[in-house]
Amino acid sequence: MVYGGQEFGGMYCAILMVNSTVVSAGLLRVFGQEIAELPLVATSNSNHGKGYFQLLFSCIEKLLAFLNVRSIVLPAAEEAESIWTDKFGFTKIRPDQLINYRRVCYQMVTFKGTSMLQKRVPECRISQTSPLDW
């Protein structure tokens, strides 16, 4: 990635830690309110299947909703595409839509042999509770 010629400025790393150990992580970049990307995610092998990435992704979605970001996109390897679509609700980006995204987000990360997927970010729900409700 370092020498691949793509621009990685503005990337943030979201991590989920359990007992002071990173168990899941994702790189995130926001391109304004229209779109954010999640080009890389990983969960340690010993923690696969425990729901840690689902929890991390839920937190990322809530952050993006709070920031009023409309869509999240990511490059999905063929073998992982069904996980993104079936488990997380992503869909393939239409070619014309991808062209429009690239006009706005020319730095968007893509990898050879992947499909670009997208998902609408759920709206932010901020509740007003009084201390008596706790």
Side-chain angles (χ1 to χ4, degrees), residues 63-95:
L63 170 66
L64 294 175
F66 182 76
L67 296 172
N68 293 314
V69 175
R70 287 187 272 288
S71 296
I72 184 168
V73 300
L74 56 85
E78 184 179 336
E79 59 271 12
E81 191 173 313
S82 64
I83 295 169
W84 289 111
T85 57
D86 299 344
K87 202 174 220 177
F88 294 98
F90 280 80
T91 58
K92 276 193 175 183
I93 299 176
R94 294 185 327 265

Side-chain angles (χ1 to χ4, degrees), residues 6-7 14 21 31 35-36 38 46 55 60 66 69 74 82 91 94 98 102 111 119 123 131:
Q6 288 186 300
E7 172 58 46
T21 302
F31 293 104
I35 189 171
L38 188 67
S46 61
L55 179 59
I60 290 169
F66 182 76
V69 175
L74 56 85
S82 64
T91 58
R94 294 185 327 265
L98 186 56
R102 288 189 194 280
F111 298 102
K119 179 182 181 179
E123 287 189 26

Side-chain angles (χ1 to χ4, degrees), residues 106-125:
Y106 64 92
Q107 298 171 331
M108 197 164 49
V109 176
T110 56
F111 298 102
K112 187 176 181 180
T114 62
S115 297
M116 292 302 290
L117 305 180
Q118 70 175 348
K119 179 182 181 179
R120 295 291 288 178
V121 175
E123 287 189 26
C124 183
R125 291 173 287 169

